[in-house]
Amino acid sequence: QVQLVESGGGLVQPGDSLRLSCAASGRTFSMTAMGWFRQAPGKEREFVAAISWSGGRSGDALSVVDRFSISGDNISPTAYLQMNNLKPEDTAVYYCAARLYGPWLGTPKFTNDYDLWGQGTQVTVSS
């Protein structure tokens, strides 16, 4: 019914920028949040950023990485993760997620806060 597709990953050098996209399709009007997580080899999936949604419109945004910012396209809907000044430690598979069935009760920072996940896009930062 609802699908998420990530794109925009790739191989970059330290200091470069990337913009990841997460496009949601289907019945997305009831979404309350979209988020970005990342998972590096041997590490658990960790929260990166989230943006709230209400009535199909994006709202409050939060990133725990100062070099990153999240924004929303209210038409698609799509969540973007702008990543600036990338560092080798940013290397990971980046996943987008959507909260579909519950309200935004504090920033959703945990995997269990989300109902749907994309397949991930690889970001590699290396020189």
Side-chain angles (χ1 to χ4, degrees):
Q1 187 177 27
V2 180
Q3 292 183 322
L4 302 175
V5 179
E6 304 102 326
S7 62
L11 173 63
V12 298
Q13 294 184 334
D16 286 352
S17 297
L18 280 176
R19 189 188 191 192
L20 305 183
S21 298
C22 179
S25 61
R27 205 186 78 81
T28 60
F29 187 78
S30 62
M31 284 196 313
T32 58
M34 297 183 71
W36 285 98
F37 291 73
R38 64 186 180 185
Q39 187 167 21
K43 301 178 67 176
E44 294 189 354
R45 191 168 299 187
E46 65 175 345
F47 173 76
V48 176
I51 186 168
S52 66
W53 290 84
S54 180
R57 304 284 185 176
S58 61
D60 295 341
L62 172 69
S63 175
V64 299
V65 182
D66 290 341
R67 296 169 288 109
F68 298 175
S69 63
I70 187 171
S71 61
D73 182 332
N74 296 330
I75 299 176
S76 304
T78 301
Y80 301 98
L81 183 68
Q82 179 67 46
M83 304 186 294
N84 298 320
N85 192 23
L86 284 160
K87 301 178 179 181
E89 53 263 41
D90 296 319
T91 296
V93 177
Y94 284 71
Y95 298 90
C96 68
R99 182 174 175 86
L100 302 176
Y101 308 120
W104 180 300
L105 300 175
T107 304
K109 299 179 179 179
F110 307 99
T111 58
N112 289 343
D113 292 326
Y114 295 88
D115 304 298
L116 181 66
W117 294 84
Q119 291 184 311
T121 183
Q122 177 72 47
V123 173
T124 302
V125 186
S126 177
S127 61

